[in-house]
Each structure stands twice: as structure tokens, then as C-alpha cells.
């Protein structure tokens, strides 16, 4: 843990031994332990909290209900996951947080990759999880907080939001850009408007689109220098905010003209008002209807937002604010404003400009209150449509404190939480507390310069059809997320996929050491039944429904997959989502296909019958070949298989065979592949549904010597041990697209020498290996270290930072 130079109140550590990992529930907590006089626990999501490819681990404060109001614990901590037999094999993450009533747990949603837990990785000699168990340790350092404000505004919450990098000069730019980004429909309008041919350096809309895109996918913060180049304003004041926003809106409006998106900005931000002016001393009056993109209120004359509206709709124009009446000059006049409509997104600017004793323009910090909700119907024209409510909800406050601090309080989601955006620093806040706490409310009420209100009732129904009618498919963000929640993706494996798979297991879905299997994916509604699913699969694969049935593929750990349960027609009217909920991590099925039509109800599987998969090892081709599945009885003698296996592989019926049971690749040991005794039963070897039987011809001593003489692997145990040493290596040309094959992958063995690797690459590129040079990369993935062509080191030594090598054709 980094040393913050603060006095330590307490330091403790606690280790939790986690067993039966593959059978753990989705969320669990470890034993309680004490640190700093408080009780804590480790909170574990073994299959990820939000991302199923990761594991999530948090430190949790146990009993906050027993604490007095205002309690907090300033805590540094490290969370480690390690091999319970070998402590040097570990991964860790450290953090710090002010634990309080709003933050009772903190940790790491993406603590580590699921697919790296069960294999030696990152130069480790043993897997982190061994024999389905591991240890998780929390190191907890409680720090003293003499001022009571330590990390008060720097809680390290994972917010899910991305900030903007600080500019060289402090301006409102970042706050305004973020406030616009989190207006969903404005964001989508920006995505649509910019064209592929637009270059950011020549188009405000394109530069803005680039910033918005990076805010959607980047971390931890985004640079907006490219956008700010369009605004050559040397001196900036709060009054420039309106100008800045209008420049952005105008540019977008121009881009949208004569397109299907024409008018979008108006629908978002524009309302209509009628202004009536009548001079007091001369016979002059005017009436005109105008559009407005925002409303500006003078803070000096009013105490709160409601006062401002009342003052704005009816005021006297006198003094420096006299009306310039045509033909009469400056005149005292009565001004009356009637709002004909309010826009869905209402921007309210607070004019805090004032003059000091020397008549210099200065910023006023007068207190000005604004509500979380406001009803604007009373300010509408009597002729306006009032059939729908005009209730507005606060969604953003832009604040300027002192001379150089700008920040934004925003609520990114309609019904979500509030966050404080101060450039790249983002913290979760309670705006209600801020508006009812003396210190914070003074900051907001005395320094807010812009308010953003959303109309509560009809923003979606007004704008959704307009935008989504024209929205390109790849920008359907929120709509796609909503659809995603309603849909279910099911992986369907077939016999052909098994036959094409040349490695461990019946299939490879996640282990990137080896080529991943190409698996069909069926997407249906979560409410669709098993019967509907069968119809969809039947149509996709053009197989009659009565010739197929489906097995759930169970993930035993992050690498191994086996058949689990048959989905019977008793579930024909059950939704696939209900069936999915019986699994921990999604739904994968194996489609079993019969050669002729069957009646599954009349031909149930016998309880003593098991389905197994067959693989054949050919030492001449140094490869495995999948031969489909087979049903056997548990009490059958294993030599029952011999004639069937010979027939499947088209071998003479009297061929002698060696038979092995394939076991999990992460626990391979030298003696694990003892031959199965052909006189024993399947039950004796504990053969279960989905287990894999691998066989080869029994070799004579002469045949073995022949294979050895040409350095060929001749037995199944040797071959599987070799498989465990394979790795997928990514090759890139040093000169990019100058070379015929700029990028490709090869499956190579970790113990291969440099010369052997070069030969494999040369074969793939069809060039002379003497004209080829390989270059390893640094920690940034850039080519750096030319490998000595005479090196006898193993391939694994060249892959120090990643599985990437560059090649150069000499």
C-alpha cells in the first residue's frame, strides 16, 4: 500500500479459505474479522458482479446500523487471491476509501480474469485456484482522521462515468460538455449528425462526436483539446456559457438541415414566448412571438427560481434597462412575457454579473435558491395546451467557485444517482444533502451559474420516435441496452463443432491459450418457451424437431465443460430464462441429432445409460479427431467399445486399441493417463454423462521407435501433455500493411526454440526462414527487442510481456 504519511490507527489482516469454487453461489461473504474496532468481511462475486468474464472482490463494513450518525472509517486496503498451498502464486489490488453510511463496501468489480484462475499464467508456476480452492486475504490499514475531512470529497467509488482532462486554463468547457453528453437525446443527435467523411479538425460536430464516443468507451478521462481549438476565446466569463452552447447547437443545426434529423435541436431545447411591451410615456407598444433556447435570470433582483419567473414574466424597463422604442428612443416601458411552450430540456442561466465601487464588472455571489422540482404550468399562456403536466426535475447544476474552480453536479440517468464532475475526478454525491447542509448549500446557492431541468412527463414520447427512426444501428445505445435486458443469447453446440475442435474438452469457449470454437448463437426473448426455442433451432439448422434433443452444457470451472442435464419435453412450456436461472453463468446447450424421427416421450434415456464423446489420436498426423457421441450402459465392460470404435474410424475389426479417459487439463500429472483396463466397467472408472474417451491404435515397439526417430509424439498421454504447453501467439508485421499478411495467429508450443518458431512462421508466410527475423515487445506492446537468431531459449521466454511477436522480412 502507498504511504500517505498519515498516522496509522490500526493494521490487521484476515485470510479466508474458499473451497468448492465451482459450486459457489453468485454472491457470498467470508467470516467476520475486526480492524480499528469495527467488524469487516470480504465480499466475493466468484462469477463477476457485472462482467461474467471477471471475478469481483470487495471489502465490506459489516454493521453500519450500529454506528452513530456521521461515522466513517478512512481505510487503506489490499485484497489478494492466492494459491492456498503456494503463497507466492497470487494476484492483488489495493485501494483506499472513506467508508461511511453511503459507502459501506468498496473494492474491485474487475479484480481478475476468470479464464486465468485455473491455469498457470503471468509466469506463475501454479494456478491461483488449485483443486477447486484458494485463499483470499484482506490487509486493512485504518488511518487517523484528525480533521474529520480526510477523503471527504475523494471517495474512490467506481462510478461507471468518465471525466474530461483538465484544460491548461480553468474554464466552464468541461462542465458544459459533460452536461450536454448526459442529455441522452442530445448525445444521440451528435452521433447521428457527424458523417464519416468529416474530419474532427474541420468540424465542431465531428470533434464533439469524437469526445462523446470516447466518453462512452474510454478510461479514465478524455482530452477535448481538438474541440476547444474551435473557440479562440482568450478571456472567458460566465456570460460566455450561453454563447458557447449556442455555437455548438448552431453547428449541429446546420449539419442537420435538409436531412431526416432536421429540427432535432429545436425539439430538444426550443420553447416559444410572446413578448408584449407598452411604453409608459408615449403611445407605443409592440407584440412579437419568438423562439428561445434558454432563459437567463438576473440573480441580483431575486432570491429563488420562482421569484425569477415571476419577475421575468412582468417587469418594468427603466434606468439602464429602458426600451428603445422605434421613433421615440429610450423609454420607460412595461414588459409582459407569456410562455407559449417550454422545451423538454430547459437550460436556465443565472446572470451573476455586477459592478463594484469602481464600476468594474465582477461576479456576484448572492444567495439564490432553486428547487429539485418545479411546476411551470402557471407561467403558460391561457391558450397553451395544458392537458399534460409541466413538472420539471433538476438534472444538472453547473458551479463556479472563486476564480478558477468549475465543476458540474449531474444526474446521468433519469432515475439514477448524482455525481460531481470536476475534470477527471468523479465522486458520488447526495444533492439533497448538499442543498440542506449549511456548508454545501452555500457553495451551490451562492455559486451556481446554470441549471438544467428535464420535463418529467413526455420527453421520451416526444423525442424517441424522431431520433430512433433515423438512428444508425450501432448508435442505439439505450434502446439496445433495453432490448438486451429482454433477450437471451444461447450457445448451441453440434457434433460437427465437436469434430472440428482439436483440443481439450468437448469445446473451447474461453481458454485463449488455444483456438476458440466457433459456436452458433441463438437469440430469443427471455419469455420464449423451450418449445419456441426448438422451433427456432429447427429452422436455423434445417433439422426436424423430432430428430433433436438438447443437453445443458455445464461449466465445471473456467476451462472444463461437460454435459449436465437433458432438457426434457416436460419443460416444453417453460421459458428459456427460467431454465437459464438453474445455471450460474448463462446457457449453453448441446444439440443431439438422431438419424431418424423419434418420440422422445416413448424413448426416454435409461437411468443406467450415459452419453460419452469419442476422440481418436493419430500419431502420424499428430492430431486429435472427434468422432461424435455414443450411448453406453454404466455396467458394460469397456471392451464392448472396441468394435464400435474400429467401425467409427474404419479400422480392421481386430485392431488392438489403447483407451484413455480425458481429464481436466489444469490438473494433468505424469500418471494421470493410465490406460483403462478393457475388462473393467464404465462404472469402475466413474464415467459420467459427457465424459470423453480417447483412443489410438496399439503400437508395436518398431512403430514406437519409428515415431521417436523423427521426433513425433506417439502416445495419448504425451500428446495431452504437449497440448497443455500450447499457446496462441499473435504475430504482426513490423511494417504493417506493407507485407502480404500483416497479422495472424499460430498455435505454438511454449518449449519451442527460436529456430522452430521461425520455421513455423516462414511456412505460414511462404518465405525462406533465413529471411525472417522476430522481435519481442515491451510492456506497452511496442516492438523493441530483436531476438538473437542463435538463441536456444524457449518460446515462453520471448513472451515476457504478452503473447505478441513482431516479424520483419529482411
Amino acid at each position: 500500500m502507498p504511504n500517505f504519511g498519515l498516522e496509522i490507527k490500526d493494521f490487521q489482516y484476515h485470510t479466508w479459505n474458499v473451497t468448492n469454487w465451482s459450486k459457489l453461489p453468485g454472491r457470498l461473504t467470508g467470516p467476520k474479522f475486526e480492524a480499528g474496532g469495527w467488524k469487516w468481511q470480504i465480499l466475493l462475486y466468484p462469477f463477476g458482479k457485472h462482467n461474467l468474464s471477471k471475478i469481483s472482490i470487495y471489502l465490506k463494513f459489516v454493521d453500519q446500523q450500529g454506528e452513530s450518525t456521521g461515522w466513517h472509517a478512512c481505510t487503506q486496503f489490499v485484497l489478494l487471491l492466492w494459491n492456498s498451498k503456494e503463497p507466492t502464486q497470487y494476484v492483488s489490488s489495493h485501494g483506499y476509501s472513506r467508508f461511511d453510511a453511503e459507502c459501506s463496501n468498496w473494492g474491485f468489480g474487475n479484480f481478475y480474469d476468470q479464464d486465468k484462475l485455473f491455469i498457470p499464467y503471468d509466469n506463475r508456476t501454479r494456478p491461483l485456484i488449485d483443486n477447486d480452492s484458494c485463499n483470499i486475504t484482506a490487509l486493512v490499514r485504518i488511518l487517523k482522521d484528525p480533521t474529520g475531512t480526510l477523503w471527504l470529497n475523494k471517495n474512490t467509488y467506481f462510478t461507471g462515468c468518465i471525466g474530461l482532462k483538465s484544460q491548461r486554463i480553468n474554464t466552464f468547457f468541461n462542465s458544459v460538455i459533460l452536461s450536454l453528453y448526459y442529455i441522452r437525446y442530445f448525445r444521440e443527435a451528435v452521433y447521428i449528425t457527424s458523417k464519416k467523411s468529416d474530419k474532427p479538425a474541420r468540424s465542431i460536430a465531428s470533434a464533439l462526436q469524437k469526445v462523446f464516443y470516447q466518453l462512452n468507451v474510454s478510461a479514465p478521462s478524455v482530452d477535448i483539446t481538438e474541440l476547444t481549438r474551435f473557440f479562440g476565446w482568450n478571456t472567458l466569463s460566465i456570460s460566455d456559457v450561453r454563447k458557447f452552447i449556442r455555437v455548438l447547437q448552431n453547428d449541429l443545426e446546420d449539419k442537420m438541415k435538409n436531412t431526416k434529423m432536421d429540427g432535432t435541436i429545436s425539439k430538444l431545447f426550443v420553447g416559444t414566448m410572446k413578448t408584449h411591451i407598452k411604453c409608459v410615456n408615449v403611445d407605443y407598444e409592440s407584440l412579437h412571438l419568438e423562439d428561445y433556447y434558454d432563459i437567463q435570470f438576473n440573480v441580483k433582483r431575486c432570491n429563488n427560481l420562482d421569484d425569477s419567473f415571476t419577475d421575468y414574466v412582468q417587469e418594468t424597463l427603466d434606468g439602464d434597462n429602458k426600451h428603445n422604442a422605434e421613433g421615440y428612443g429610450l423609454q420607460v416601458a412595461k414588459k409582459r412575457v407569456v410562455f407559449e411552450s417550454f422545451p423538454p430540456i430547459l437550460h436556465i442561466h443565472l446572470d451573476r454579473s455586477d459592478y463594484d465601487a469602481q464600476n468594474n464588472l465582477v461576479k456576484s455571489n448572492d444567495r439564490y435558491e432553486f428547487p429539485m422540482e418545479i411546476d411551470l404550468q402557471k407561467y403558460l399562456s391561457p391558450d397553451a395546451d395544458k392537458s399534460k403536466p409541466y413538472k420539471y426535475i433538476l438534472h444538472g447544476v453547473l458551479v463556479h467557485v472563486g476564480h478558477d474552480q468549475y465543476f458540474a453536479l449531474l444526474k446521468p440517468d433519469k432515475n439514477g444517482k448524482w455525481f460531481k464532475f470536476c475534470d477527471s475526478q468523479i465522486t458520488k454525491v447526495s444533492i439533497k444533502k448538499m442543498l440542506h447542509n449549511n456548508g454545501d448549500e452555500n457553495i451551490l446557492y451562492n455559486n451556481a451559474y446554470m441549471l438544467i431541468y428535464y420535463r418529467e412527463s413526455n420527453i421520451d414520447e416526444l423525442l424517441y420516435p424522431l431520433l430512433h427512426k433515423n438512428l444508425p444501428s450501432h448508435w442505439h445505445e439505450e434502446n439496445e441496452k433495453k432490448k438486451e435486458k429482454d433477450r437471451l443469447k444461447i450457445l448451441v453446440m453440434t457434433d460437427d463443432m465437436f469434430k472440428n475442435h482439436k483440443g481439450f474438452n468437448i469445446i473451447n469457449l474461453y481458454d485463449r491459450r488455444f483456438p476458440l470454437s466457433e459456436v452458433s448463437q441463438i437469440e430469443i426473448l427471455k419469455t420464449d418457451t423451450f418449445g419456441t426455442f426448438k422451433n427456432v433451432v429447427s429452422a436455423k439448422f434445417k433439422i426436424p424437431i423430432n430428430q433433436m434433443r438438447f443437453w445443458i452444457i455445464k461449466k465445471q470451472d473456467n476451462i472444463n465443460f461437460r454435459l449436465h442435464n437433458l432438457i426434457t419435453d416436460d419443460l416444453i412450456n417453460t421459458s428459456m430464462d427460467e431454465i437459464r436461472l438453474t445455471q450460474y453463468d448463462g446457457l449453453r446447450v448441446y444439440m443431439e441429432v438422431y438419424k431418424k424421427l423419434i418420440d422422445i416421450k416413448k424413448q426416454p434415456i435409461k437411468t443406467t445409460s450415459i452419453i460419452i464423446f469419442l476422440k481418436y489420436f493419430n500419431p502420424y498426423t499428430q492430431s486429435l479427431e472427434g468422432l461424435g457421441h455414443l450411448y453406453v450402459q454404466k455396467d458394460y465392460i469397456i471392451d464392448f467399445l472396441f468394435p464400435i470404435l474400429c467401425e467409427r474410424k474404419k479400422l480392421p475389426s481386430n485392431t488392438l486399441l489403447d483407451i484413455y479417459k480425458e481429464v481436466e487439463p489444469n490438473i494433468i500429472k505424469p500418471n494421470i493417463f493410465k490406460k483403462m483396463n478393457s475388462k473393467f466397467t464404465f462404472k469402475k472408472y466413474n464415467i459420467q454423462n459427457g465424459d470423453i474417451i480417447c483412443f489410438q491404435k496399439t503400437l508395436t515397439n518398431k512403430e514406437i521407435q519409428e515415431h521417436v526417430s523423427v521426433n513425433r509424439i506417439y502416445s495419448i498421454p504425451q500428446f495431452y501433455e504437449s497440448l497443455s504447453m500450447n499457446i496462441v501467439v499473435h504475430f504482426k508485421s513490423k511494417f504493417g500493411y506493407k507485407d502480404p499478411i500483416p497479422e495472424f495467429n499460430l498455435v505454438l508450443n511454449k518449449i519451442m526454440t527460436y529456430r522452430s518458431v521461425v520455421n513455423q512462421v516462414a511456412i505460414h508466410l511462404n518465405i525462406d526462414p533465413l529471411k525472417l527475423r522476430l522481435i519481442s515487445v515491451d510492456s506497452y506492446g511496442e516492438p523493441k527487442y530483436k531476438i538473437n537468431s542463435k538463441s536456444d531459449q524457449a518460446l515462453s521466454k520471448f513472451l515476457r510481456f504478452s503473447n505478441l511477436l513482431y516479424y520483419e522480412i529482411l
Side-chain angles (χ1 to χ4, degrees):
M1 287 180 280
N3 184 358
F4 290 148
L6 300 167
E7 189 175 350
I8 298 171
K9 178 180 178 182
D10 191 18
F11 172 78
Q12 300 292 335
Y13 68 90
H14 167 76
T15 297
W16 173 23
N17 179 233
V18 183
T19 58
N20 295 318
W21 183 280
S22 59
K23 296 180 181 178
L24 293 177
R27 178 188 187 276
L28 69 161
T29 52
K32 296 177 183 178
F33 64 96
E34 188 171 306
W38 291 294
K39 292 280 196 286
W40 306 80
Q41 285 176 305
I42 297 170
L43 172 60
L44 171 65
Y45 294 84
F47 309 106
K49 186 175 182 181
H50 301 294
N51 186 343
L52 293 179
S53 68
K54 307 284 185 179
I55 64 169
S56 307
I57 309 179
Y58 300 84
L59 179 64
K60 177 179 173 61
F61 183 86
V62 175
D63 187 21
Q64 65 179 20
Q65 294 178 350
E67 292 301 318
S68 59
T69 303
W71 79 271
H72 68 276
C74 294
T75 308
Q76 280 184 274
F77 59 93
V78 178
L79 296 173
L80 307 97
L81 186 147
W82 50 284
N83 185 300
S84 52
K85 302 295 183 183
E86 181 51 67
T88 61
Q89 312 294 299
Y90 72 93
V91 289
S92 67
S93 288
H94 67 82
Y96 67 97
S97 182
R98 183 186 180 95
F99 287 80
D100 55 26
E102 288 189 0
C103 175
S104 60
N105 64 76
W106 198 94
F108 312 99
N110 297 329
F111 182 83
Y112 200 61
D113 296 328
Q114 293 253 12
D115 58 3
K116 297 177 183 176
L117 292 170
F118 297 87
I119 55 176
Y121 203 84
D122 292 334
N123 296 322
R124 285 189 291 272
T125 57
R126 297 183 65 171
L128 295 168
I129 297 180
D130 211 344
N131 293 323
D132 220 23
S133 70
C134 67
N135 284 346
I136 301 177
T137 294
L139 309 175
V140 180
R141 179 190 286 168
I142 310 296
L143 301 177
K144 289 187 177 180
D145 181 18
T147 66
T149 59
L150 179 62
W151 303 335
L152 187 60
N153 294 316
K154 294 184 72 174
N155 277 344
T156 53
Y157 296 105
F158 173 71
T159 63
C161 303
I162 298 171
L164 296 173
K165 290 182 179 177
S166 176
Q167 304 293 298
R168 284 177 295 177
I169 55 171
N170 290 300
T171 73
F172 52 75
F173 277 27
N174 283 0
S175 294
V176 172
I177 294 298
L178 287 166
S179 74
L180 293 172
Y181 172 77
Y182 285 111
I183 298 173
R184 167 187 167 187
Y185 291 104
F186 182 81
R187 177 166 75 244
E188 292 186 353
V190 171
Y191 287 158
I192 298 166
T193 303
S194 183
K195 301 172 184 175
K196 288 183 179 179
S197 58
D198 290 338
K199 294 184 178 180
R202 298 178 186 173
S203 164
I204 291 178
S206 295
L208 187 63
Q209 184 192 59
K210 182 178 179 181
V211 171
F212 279 12
Y213 173 74
Q214 290 175 329
L215 282 168
N216 194 43
V217 301
S218 299
S221 58
V222 174
D223 187 0
I224 65 167
T225 305
E226 218 168 50
L227 177 63
T228 56
R229 285 175 183 154
F230 290 96
F231 304 92
W233 304 339
N234 296 324
T235 341
L236 294 165
S237 68
I238 295 300
S239 61
D240 287 317
V241 174
R242 297 181 75 189
K243 178 182 176 183
F244 177 59
I245 294 175
R246 284 301 296 128
V247 169
L248 293 174
Q249 291 171 336
N250 285 338
D251 189 78
L252 287 167
E253 282 186 307
D254 288 341
K255 290 275 185 181
M256 292 176 182
K257 281 181 180 176
N258 302 317
T259 72
K260 292 180 180 180
M261 295 307 300
D262 202 344
T264 299
I265 298 299
S266 295
K267 284 188 176 292
L268 280 170
F269 300 105
V270 174
T272 307
M273 67 170 68
K274 188 185 295 180
T275 305
H276 178 243
I277 296 177
K278 183 175 175 60
C279 292
V280 174
N281 300 318
V282 297
D283 185 17
Y284 178 89
E285 62 182 303
S286 67
L287 179 68
H288 64 277
L289 191 69
E290 62 180 325
D291 291 337
Y292 64 93
Y293 287 77
D294 55 46
I295 304 172
Q296 179 164 291
F297 292 143
N298 193 317
V299 171
K300 186 178 178 181
R301 294 197 300 264
C302 303
N303 296 320
N304 55 53
L305 193 63
D306 209 43
D307 288 351
S308 291
F309 268 104
T310 302
D311 178 72
Y312 191 84
V313 297
Q314 195 160 340
E315 64 174 316
T316 299
L317 305 177
D318 58 6
D320 293 335
N321 196 32
K322 287 180 180 178
H323 178 65
N324 188 8
E326 187 177 350
Y328 295 96
L330 296 175
Q331 296 290 326
V332 176
K334 297 291 184 181
K335 176 185 173 185
R336 185 169 181 267
V337 173
V338 175
F339 288 100
E340 296 293 326
S341 66
F342 289 106
I345 308 294
L346 180 60
H347 278 170
I348 297 176
H349 295 273
L350 305 178
D351 183 3
R352 291 187 173 274
S353 58
D354 200 357
Y355 291 91
D356 62 14
Q358 288 75 40
N359 207 32
N360 296 317
L361 190 65
V362 295
K363 173 182 173 256
S364 167
N365 292 323
D366 291 348
R367 181 180 177 84
Y368 183 88
E369 297 183 9
F370 45 87
M372 297 294 293
E373 301 177 3
I374 188 168
D375 191 344
L376 299 182
Q377 193 174 84
K378 59 186 174 183
Y379 300 113
L380 276 173
S381 163
D383 301 327
D385 179 9
K386 298 182 180 180
S387 60
K388 294 180 180 178
Y390 275 78
K391 185 178 179 182
Y392 280 75
I393 311 296
L394 185 68
H395 270 257
V397 183
L398 272 56
V399 183
H400 176 216
V401 183
H403 295 290
D404 59 0
Q405 186 182 355
Y406 291 83
F407 65 85
L409 297 175
L410 302 171
K411 186 167 70 167
D413 297 317
K414 185 176 180 181
N415 299 310
K417 298 182 182 301
W418 283 83
F419 296 94
K420 178 182 177 181
F421 294 82
C422 188
D423 296 328
S424 58
Q425 183 181 320
I426 306 165
T427 52
K428 186 170 65 176
V429 296
S430 169
I431 193 167
K432 287 186 178 180
K433 281 189 176 180
M434 293 185 78
L435 294 179
H436 296 87
N437 176 285
N438 288 334
D440 290 330
E441 75 176 17
N442 289 337
I443 290 176
L444 295 190
Y445 287 153
N446 292 28
N447 296 280
Y449 63 89
M450 179 173 160
L451 309 175
I452 304 166
Y453 283 89
Y454 288 11
R455 186 170 171 182
E456 183 184 47
S457 59
N458 72 338
I459 184 170
D460 285 332
E461 64 188 64
L462 177 65
L463 298 170
Y464 183 89
L466 173 72
L467 286 168
H468 283 253
K469 177 177 64 177
N470 305 299
L471 192 60
S473 59
H474 58 290
W475 292 123
H476 274 267
E477 297 176 47
E478 284 82 2
N479 189 35
E480 286 303 316
K481 287 178 184 176
K482 185 175 183 298
K483 280 185 178 181
E484 191 75 19
K485 291 179 181 178
D486 298 331
R487 302 189 73 81
L488 187 63
K489 294 177 181 177
I490 302 171
L491 299 180
V492 179
M493 174 194 163
T494 65
D495 254 348
D496 285 341
M497 295 169 193
F498 169 69
K499 291 174 182 178
N500 290 330
H501 175 54
K502 306 300 182 184
F504 293 112
N505 281 300
I506 56 175
I507 199 168
N508 180 25
L509 298 177
Y510 303 116
D511 191 350
R512 295 189 178 276
R513 295 179 303 165
F514 312 108
L516 299 178
S517 301
E518 292 186 8
V519 183
S520 294
Q521 183 172 271
I522 303 294
E523 186 172 335
I524 60 174
L525 293 173
K526 288 183 177 180
T527 53
D528 284 343
T529 63
F530 177 46
T532 303
F533 170 73
K534 290 174 71 173
N535 282 317
V536 172
V537 176
S538 174
K540 179 179 177 66
F541 290 95
K542 297 180 174 53
I543 299 171
I545 289 179
N546 286 344
Q547 277 185 244
M548 60 173 68
R549 57 182 172 188
F550 298 91
W551 293 80
I552 289 176
I553 300 176
K554 188 76 170 179
K555 183 166 73 169
Q556 294 180 327
D557 50 44
N558 278 355
I559 300 175
N560 302 306
F561 295 90
R562 291 291 187 269
L563 296 196
H564 185 51
N565 291 328
L566 183 68
I567 309 177
T568 65
D569 275 358
D570 295 338
L571 300 174
I572 200 75
N573 294 317
T574 303
S575 76
M576 291 303 288
D577 196 44
E578 288 182 63
I579 296 173
R580 177 192 66 83
L581 291 173
T582 63
Q583 313 303 309
Y584 284 124
D585 59 336
L587 194 54
R588 298 167 293 267
V589 297
Y590 167 66
M591 180 175 65
E592 181 186 357
V593 180
Y594 286 80
K595 292 182 179 178
K596 59 182 180 179
L597 297 178
I598 62 165
D599 186 339
I600 293 178
K601 291 183 179 179
K602 291 182 180 180
Q603 295 186 28
I605 296 176
K606 297 178 183 179
T607 56
T608 58
S609 183
I610 50 177
I611 182 174
I612 61 174
F613 288 85
L614 306 174
K615 290 181 181 178
Y616 173 72
F617 171 63
N618 186 337
Y620 290 96
T621 60
Q622 297 286 281
S623 64
L624 287 174
E625 179 184 353
L627 297 176
H629 69 268
L630 178 70
Y631 278 98
V632 297
Q633 298 295 314
K634 290 182 181 179
D635 54 0
Y636 279 7
I637 303 297
I638 289 173
D639 63 9
F640 155 83
L641 280 179
F642 280 40
I644 299 174
L645 298 179
C646 289
E647 182 183 354
R648 287 276 178 106
K649 189 50 195 163
K650 295 183 171 50
L651 300 172
S653 59
N654 61 348
T655 303
L656 295 178
L657 302 175
D658 295 339
I659 299 183
Y660 299 83
K661 174 187 175 183
E662 181 183 304
V663 294
E664 294 83 351
N666 58 310
I667 58 171
I668 286 180
K669 298 176 183 177
N671 64 347
I672 203 68
F673 279 108
K674 285 181 180 177
K675 270 188 235 179
M676 296 173 72
N677 190 320
S678 62
K679 300 304 178 185
F680 288 173
T681 64
F682 290 100
K683 186 176 181 180
K684 174 77 174 177
Y685 284 100
N686 194 31
I687 302 296
Q688 305 291 327
N689 275 327
D691 276 345
I692 300 167
I693 300 297
C694 190
F695 70 99
Q696 69 175 102
K697 292 193 294 184
T698 302
L699 300 178
T700 65
N701 288 334
K702 182 180 178 181
E703 289 172 321
I704 292 174
Q705 289 305 315
E706 178 189 340
H707 291 303
V708 170
S709 66
V710 292
N711 202 29
R712 278 199 298 258
I713 292 170
Y714 62 86
S715 71
I716 288 173
Q718 286 180 316
F719 183 75
Y720 271 80
E721 189 172 353
S722 170
L723 274 182
S724 69
M725 298 295 289
N726 281 355
I727 189 170
V728 177
V729 183
H730 187 62
F731 290 91
K732 280 186 177 182
S733 164
K734 183 181 177 183
F735 301 106
Y737 287 86
K738 172 185 173 184
D739 292 318
I741 310 180
E743 292 188 52
F744 58 91
N745 290 333
L746 290 179
V747 179
L748 303 174
N749 198 283
K750 291 180 183 178
I751 62 174
M752 292 175 70
T753 63
Y754 178 84
R755 181 174 295 180
S756 299
V757 174
V758 167
N759 286 338
Q760 291 296 315
V761 175
I763 290 170
H764 187 82
L765 296 173
N766 194 25
I767 63 171
D768 183 346
L770 295 177
K771 296 182 178 180
L772 191 65
R773 178 160 58 196
L774 299 183
I775 306 160
S776 62
V777 300
D778 58 19
S779 58
Y780 299 99
E782 297 298 326
K784 187 170 184 180
Y785 309 104
K786 293 179 181 179
I787 305 170
N788 186 342
S789 60
K790 297 180 181 179
S791 172
D792 58 357
Q793 286 186 321
L795 170 62
S796 57
K797 298 295 184 181
F798 308 146
L799 305 175
R800 180 181 174 190
F801 294 108
S802 75
N803 292 355
L804 170 64
L805 291 175
Y806 280 82
Y807 74 87
E808 180 181 0
I809 300 176
L810 304 175

